Amino acid sequence: MRYIKLRDLEVSRIGLGAMGMSHGYTGSGTDEAESIKTVHRALELGVTLIDTAEIYGPYTNEELLGRALKGRRDQVVVATKFGLVSHAGEGAWNLDSSPANLRTAVEGSLKRLGTDHIDLYYQHRVDPNTPIEETAGAVAELISEGKVRAFGLSEAGPDTIRRAHAVQPVTAVQSEYSLWTRGIEERILPVLRELNIGLVPFSPLGRGFLTGTVRSTDQFDASDFRRDNPRFSAENFQRNLALADEVQALASQVGATSAQVALAWLLAQGDDIAPIPGTKRVSRVEENTAADAITLTSEQINTLSSLPPAAGNTHTEAQAQMLER
Ligand SMILES: NC(=O)c1ccc[n+]([C@@H]2O[C@H](COP(=O)([O-])OP(=O)(O)OC[C@H]3O[C@@H](n4cnc5c(N)ncnc54)[C@H](OP(=O)(O)O)[C@@H]3O)[C@@H](O)[C@H]2O)c1
């Protein structure tokens, strides 16, 4: 495994997203033993960046990771997120990045993760009711107290990134980025490069779709959030299958899997980028981390970069309202 720097934070260039172990996808929360083995296998393979959030569950994903990292905490850059649970207000899925909420959130995350510090603490979504300077100032205090090592933002726009960075340097921005979601390339990526901020692409496998293994939404159980996602609606899903097929065709040429090609394309976009593919299975963490060894030719990269745009938005209307694009 190779390693890169997100600003001055060294991480494996392929990380592990833990969300689906507890939340969001078919089978989430059903096999703790396999999830824990997946974390351990990732560490063995040299993965050092593991991603979770307070809202995943809520809470259960951080708890699971705390159990998985017992005795292994020092091998990992633990990244978690605040701001989607309002502790003194309306609870889960409500934006609150006020300094008071942050103080409560950090103590809970530290406890659940079984650690005395969080390596990378992201604001999960920008809170329109709290000036970002106040949030950044509160994170700066947590950093000075040693509870947090580095500050991150997720799905923040250029202006928010600049304003936050002026108060407390931002180490990484985590936003959706993959072969079928390229929206950050024009307005966000240039700002990150100008300010020397790393990029952590989430859903780098297109929520599983780009792996070619999702051929019908009948595969999804009732709790799977892809059921409401416009890209997976009856009409768009059928159109998007052509995209997955093109990735598969190129993967066959390369002698790799579609998942590996989707990750290799992201890695080719720069050495300031560390995707966090999500899986709850040992076999898939092995497959995904092996993408580190795959180098695509410039022709293959161009072919992938020229794929037609996906049909449908990448978020529901309500979710999209929380994004700054
Ligand atoms: N900041 C944010 O707002 C935000 C939003 C979403 C996600 N995230 C983070 O980003 C991480 C990754 O995103 P994601 O989990 O949404 O999407 P993803 O990584 O694009 O895809 C995950 C899905 O792909 C499947 N999968 C993984 N590897 C595979 C392989 N090699 N072959 C076939 N299927 C495979 C997984 O199923 P199995 O688990 O069954 O293998 C899961 O259903 C999350 O875990 C989370 O930590 C952050």
PDB file of all heavy atoms in Angstrom, residues 199-218:
ATOM      1  N   LEU A 199      -8.236  15.756  -0.515  1.00  0.00           N
ATOM      2  CA  LEU A 199      -9.601  15.372  -0.873  1.00  0.00           C
ATOM      3  C   LEU A 199      -9.825  13.904  -0.516  1.00  0.00           C
ATOM      4  O   LEU A 199      -9.026  13.039  -0.882  1.00  0.00           O
ATOM      5  CB  LEU A 199      -9.826  15.556  -2.380  1.00  0.00           C
ATOM      6  CG  LEU A 199     -11.163  15.003  -2.903  1.00  0.00           C
ATOM      7  CD1 LEU A 199     -12.349  15.792  -2.352  1.00  0.00           C
ATOM      8  CD2 LEU A 199     -11.195  15.034  -4.433  1.00  0.00           C
ATOM      9  N   VAL A 200     -10.918  13.658   0.184  1.00  0.00           N
ATOM     10  CA  VAL A 200     -11.307  12.279   0.504  1.00  0.00           C
ATOM     11  C   VAL A 200     -12.634  11.997  -0.207  1.00  0.00           C
ATOM     12  O   VAL A 200     -13.691  12.455   0.248  1.00  0.00           O
ATOM     13  CB  VAL A 200     -11.434  12.091   2.036  1.00  0.00           C
ATOM     14  CG1 VAL A 200     -11.969  10.694   2.365  1.00  0.00           C
ATOM     15  CG2 VAL A 200     -10.089  12.318   2.708  1.00  0.00           C
ATOM     16  N   PRO A 201     -12.590  11.300  -1.348  1.00  0.00           N
ATOM     17  CA  PRO A 201     -13.832  11.023  -2.066  1.00  0.00           C
ATOM     18  C   PRO A 201     -14.682   9.982  -1.339  1.00  0.00           C
ATOM     19  O   PRO A 201     -14.208   8.888  -1.048  1.00  0.00           O
ATOM     20  CB  PRO A 201     -13.351  10.438  -3.415  1.00  0.00           C
ATOM     21  CG  PRO A 201     -11.927  10.841  -3.545  1.00  0.00           C
ATOM     22  CD  PRO A 201     -11.402  10.868  -2.141  1.00  0.00           C
ATOM     23  N   PHE A 202     -15.939  10.355  -1.061  1.00  0.00           N
ATOM     24  CA  PHE A 202     -16.833   9.338  -0.489  1.00  0.00           C
ATOM     25  C   PHE A 202     -17.686   8.715  -1.595  1.00  0.00           C
ATOM     26  O   PHE A 202     -17.770   9.254  -2.707  1.00  0.00           O
ATOM     27  CB  PHE A 202     -17.661   9.871   0.679  1.00  0.00           C
ATOM     28  CG  PHE A 202     -18.839  10.761   0.383  1.00  0.00           C
ATOM     29  CD1 PHE A 202     -20.008  10.279  -0.178  1.00  0.00           C
ATOM     30  CD2 PHE A 202     -18.795  12.098   0.739  1.00  0.00           C
ATOM     31  CE1 PHE A 202     -21.109  11.095  -0.409  1.00  0.00           C
ATOM     32  CE2 PHE A 202     -19.891  12.943   0.510  1.00  0.00           C
ATOM     33  CZ  PHE A 202     -21.046  12.432  -0.070  1.00  0.00           C
ATOM     34  N   SER A 203     -18.266   7.570  -1.294  1.00  0.00           N
ATOM     35  CA  SER A 203     -18.989   6.776  -2.304  1.00  0.00           C
ATOM     36  C   SER A 203     -18.178   6.657  -3.600  1.00  0.00           C
ATOM     37  O   SER A 203     -18.700   6.887  -4.701  1.00  0.00           O
ATOM     38  CB  SER A 203     -20.384   7.356  -2.578  1.00  0.00           C
ATOM     39  OG  SER A 203     -21.145   7.417  -1.395  1.00  0.00           O
ATOM     40  N   PRO A 204     -16.906   6.255  -3.499  1.00  0.00           N
ATOM     41  CA  PRO A 204     -16.060   6.199  -4.698  1.00  0.00           C
ATOM     42  C   PRO A 204     -16.469   5.080  -5.659  1.00  0.00           C
ATOM     43  O   PRO A 204     -16.052   5.090  -6.818  1.00  0.00           O
ATOM     44  CB  PRO A 204     -14.659   5.932  -4.121  1.00  0.00           C
ATOM     45  CG  PRO A 204     -14.914   5.214  -2.834  1.00  0.00           C
ATOM     46  CD  PRO A 204     -16.176   5.830  -2.287  1.00  0.00           C
ATOM     47  N   LEU A 205     -17.284   4.140  -5.158  1.00  0.00           N
ATOM     48  CA  LEU A 205     -17.772   3.056  -6.019  1.00  0.00           C
ATOM     49  C   LEU A 205     -19.202   3.341  -6.489  1.00  0.00           C
ATOM     50  O   LEU A 205     -19.913   2.428  -6.929  1.00  0.00           O
ATOM     51  CB  LEU A 205     -17.726   1.719  -5.264  1.00  0.00           C
ATOM     52  CG  LEU A 205     -16.349   1.328  -4.716  1.00  0.00           C
ATOM     53  CD1 LEU A 205     -16.446   0.087  -3.834  1.00  0.00           C
ATOM     54  CD2 LEU A 205     -15.364   1.079  -5.865  1.00  0.00           C
ATOM     55  N   GLY A 206     -19.609   4.605  -6.357  1.00  0.00           N
ATOM     56  CA  GLY A 206     -20.970   4.947  -6.786  1.00  0.00           C
ATOM     57  C   GLY A 206     -22.011   4.178  -6.006  1.00  0.00           C
ATOM     58  O   GLY A 206     -22.997   3.705  -6.560  1.00  0.00           O
ATOM     59  N   ARG A 207     -21.780   4.068  -4.686  1.00  0.00           N
ATOM     60  CA  ARG A 207     -22.685   3.311  -3.797  1.00  0.00           C
ATOM     61  C   ARG A 207     -22.857   1.869  -4.283  1.00  0.00           C
ATOM     62  O   ARG A 207     -23.934   1.292  -4.226  1.00  0.00           O
ATOM     63  CB  ARG A 207     -24.042   4.015  -3.683  1.00  0.00           C
ATOM     64  CG  ARG A 207     -23.904   5.466  -3.260  1.00  0.00           C
ATOM     65  CD  ARG A 207     -25.220   6.146  -3.003  1.00  0.00           C
ATOM     66  NE  ARG A 207     -25.000   7.354  -2.228  1.00  0.00           N
ATOM     67  CZ  ARG A 207     -24.753   8.554  -2.745  1.00  0.00           C
ATOM     68  NH1 ARG A 207     -24.729   8.716  -4.047  1.00  0.00           N
ATOM     69  NH2 ARG A 207     -24.535   9.587  -1.966  1.00  0.00           N
ATOM     70  N   GLY A 208     -21.770   1.349  -4.792  1.00  0.00           N
ATOM     71  CA  GLY A 208     -21.789  -0.051  -5.243  1.00  0.00           C
ATOM     72  C   GLY A 208     -22.094  -0.203  -6.720  1.00  0.00           C
ATOM     73  O   GLY A 208     -21.734  -1.207  -7.338  1.00  0.00           O
ATOM     74  N   PHE A 209     -22.733   0.806  -7.312  1.00  0.00           N
ATOM     75  CA  PHE A 209     -23.218   0.658  -8.694  1.00  0.00           C
ATOM     76  C   PHE A 209     -22.076   0.444  -9.687  1.00  0.00           C
ATOM     77  O   PHE A 209     -22.186  -0.378 -10.608  1.00  0.00           O
ATOM     78  CB  PHE A 209     -24.026   1.904  -9.097  1.00  0.00           C
ATOM     79  CG  PHE A 209     -24.665   1.758 -10.439  1.00  0.00           C
ATOM     80  CD1 PHE A 209     -25.854   1.054 -10.584  1.00  0.00           C
ATOM     81  CD2 PHE A 209     -24.057   2.278 -11.573  1.00  0.00           C
ATOM     82  CE1 PHE A 209     -26.418   0.874 -11.836  1.00  0.00           C
ATOM     83  CE2 PHE A 209     -24.624   2.104 -12.827  1.00  0.00           C
ATOM     84  CZ  PHE A 209     -25.808   1.401 -12.965  1.00  0.00           C
ATOM     85  N   LEU A 210     -20.967   1.159  -9.489  1.00  0.00           N
ATOM     86  CA  LEU A 210     -19.867   1.092 -10.468  1.00  0.00           C
ATOM     87  C   LEU A 210     -19.122  -0.247 -10.414  1.00  0.00           C
ATOM     88  O   LEU A 210     -18.294  -0.532 -11.273  1.00  0.00           O
ATOM     89  CB  LEU A 210     -18.883   2.249 -10.230  1.00  0.00           C
ATOM     90  CG  LEU A 210     -19.458   3.648 -10.449  1.00  0.00           C
ATOM     91  CD1 LEU A 210     -18.502   4.725  -9.915  1.00  0.00           C
ATOM     92  CD2 LEU A 210     -19.739   3.897 -11.934  1.00  0.00           C
ATOM     93  N   THR A 211     -19.403  -1.059  -9.406  1.00  0.00           N
ATOM     94  CA  THR A 211     -18.731  -2.357  -9.316  1.00  0.00           C
ATOM     95  C   THR A 211     -19.344  -3.364 -10.290  1.00  0.00           C
ATOM     96  O   THR A 211     -18.797  -4.455 -10.470  1.00  0.00           O
ATOM     97  CB  THR A 211     -18.839  -2.957  -7.895  1.00  0.00           C
ATOM     98  OG1 THR A 211     -20.213  -3.327  -7.661  1.00  0.00           O
ATOM     99  CG2 THR A 211     -18.395  -1.978  -6.829  1.00  0.00           C
ATOM    100  N   GLY A 212     -20.494  -3.014 -10.875  1.00  0.00           N
ATOM    101  CA  GLY A 212     -21.153  -3.915 -11.825  1.00  0.00           C
ATOM    102  C   GLY A 212     -21.945  -5.033 -11.157  1.00  0.00           C
ATOM    103  O   GLY A 212     -22.548  -5.850 -11.849  1.00  0.00           O
ATOM    104  N   THR A 213     -21.956  -5.053  -9.829  1.00  0.00           N
ATOM    105  CA  THR A 213     -22.654  -6.153  -9.149  1.00  0.00           C
ATOM    106  C   THR A 213     -24.105  -5.797  -8.830  1.00  0.00           C
ATOM    107  O   THR A 213     -24.876  -6.670  -8.413  1.00  0.00           O
ATOM    108  CB  THR A 213     -21.947  -6.545  -7.829  1.00  0.00           C
ATOM    109  OG1 THR A 213     -21.937  -5.394  -6.981  1.00  0.00           O
ATOM    110  CG2 THR A 213     -20.528  -7.005  -8.074  1.00  0.00           C
ATOM    111  N   VAL A 214     -24.462  -4.534  -9.007  1.00  0.00           N
ATOM    112  CA  VAL A 214     -25.848  -4.142  -8.742  1.00  0.00           C
ATOM    113  C   VAL A 214     -26.572  -4.123 -10.092  1.00  0.00           C
ATOM    114  O   VAL A 214     -26.389  -3.201 -10.890  1.00  0.00           O
ATOM    115  CB  VAL A 214     -25.916  -2.741  -8.078  1.00  0.00           C
ATOM    116  CG1 VAL A 214     -27.361  -2.365  -7.783  1.00  0.00           C
ATOM    117  CG2 VAL A 214     -25.091  -2.703  -6.800  1.00  0.00           C
ATOM    118  N   ARG A 215     -27.329  -5.132 -10.362  1.00  0.00           N
ATOM    119  CA  ARG A 215     -27.983  -5.245 -11.677  1.00  0.00           C
ATOM    120  C   ARG A 215     -29.486  -5.016 -11.590  1.00  0.00           C
ATOM    121  O   ARG A 215     -30.170  -4.898 -12.600  1.00  0.00           O
ATOM    122  CB  ARG A 215     -27.714  -6.626 -12.303  1.00  0.00           C
ATOM    123  CG  ARG A 215     -26.262  -6.974 -12.458  1.00  0.00           C
ATOM    124  CD  ARG A 215     -25.474  -5.989 -13.308  1.00  0.00           C
ATOM    125  NE  ARG A 215     -25.930  -5.852 -14.689  1.00  0.00           N
ATOM    126  CZ  ARG A 215     -25.327  -5.077 -15.601  1.00  0.00           C
ATOM    127  NH1 ARG A 215     -24.258  -4.365 -15.269  1.00  0.00           N
ATOM    128  NH2 ARG A 215     -25.798  -4.998 -16.824  1.00  0.00           N
ATOM    129  N   SER A 216     -29.995  -4.968 -10.356  1.00  0.00           N
ATOM    130  CA  SER A 216     -31.437  -4.738 -10.199  1.00  0.00           C
ATOM    131  C   SER A 216     -31.682  -4.194  -8.795  1.00  0.00           C
ATOM    132  O   SER A 216     -31.034  -4.635  -7.836  1.00  0.00           O
ATOM    133  CB  SER A 216     -32.186  -6.062 -10.371  1.00  0.00           C
ATOM    134  OG  SER A 216     -33.459  -5.980  -9.751  1.00  0.00           O
ATOM    135  N   THR A 217     -32.619  -3.255  -8.682  1.00  0.00           N
ATOM    136  CA  THR A 217     -32.904  -2.705  -7.348  1.00  0.00           C
ATOM    137  C   THR A 217     -33.680  -3.723  -6.499  1.00  0.00           C
ATOM    138  O   THR A 217     -33.859  -3.507  -5.302  1.00  0.00           O
ATOM    139  CB  THR A 217     -33.672  -1.377  -7.449  1.00  0.00           C
ATOM    140  OG1 THR A 217     -34.788  -1.575  -8.301  1.00  0.00           O
ATOM    141  CG2 THR A 217     -32.805  -0.272  -7.994  1.00  0.00           C
ATOM    142  N   ASP A 218     -34.121  -4.812  -7.103  1.00  0.00           N
ATOM    143  CA  ASP A 218     -34.757  -5.880  -6.303  1.00  0.00           C
ATOM    144  C   ASP A 218     -33.756  -6.484  -5.317  1.00  0.00           C
ATOM    145  O   ASP A 218     -34.144  -7.169  -4.376  1.00  0.00           O
ATOM    146  CB  ASP A 218     -35.276  -7.010  -7.210  1.00  0.00           C
ATOM    147  CG  ASP A 218     -36.410  -6.525  -8.092  1.00  0.00           C
ATOM    148  OD1 ASP A 218     -36.972  -5.451  -7.789  1.00  0.00           O
ATOM    149  OD2 ASP A 218     -36.700  -7.214  -9.087  1.00  0.00           O
TER     150      ASP A 218
END
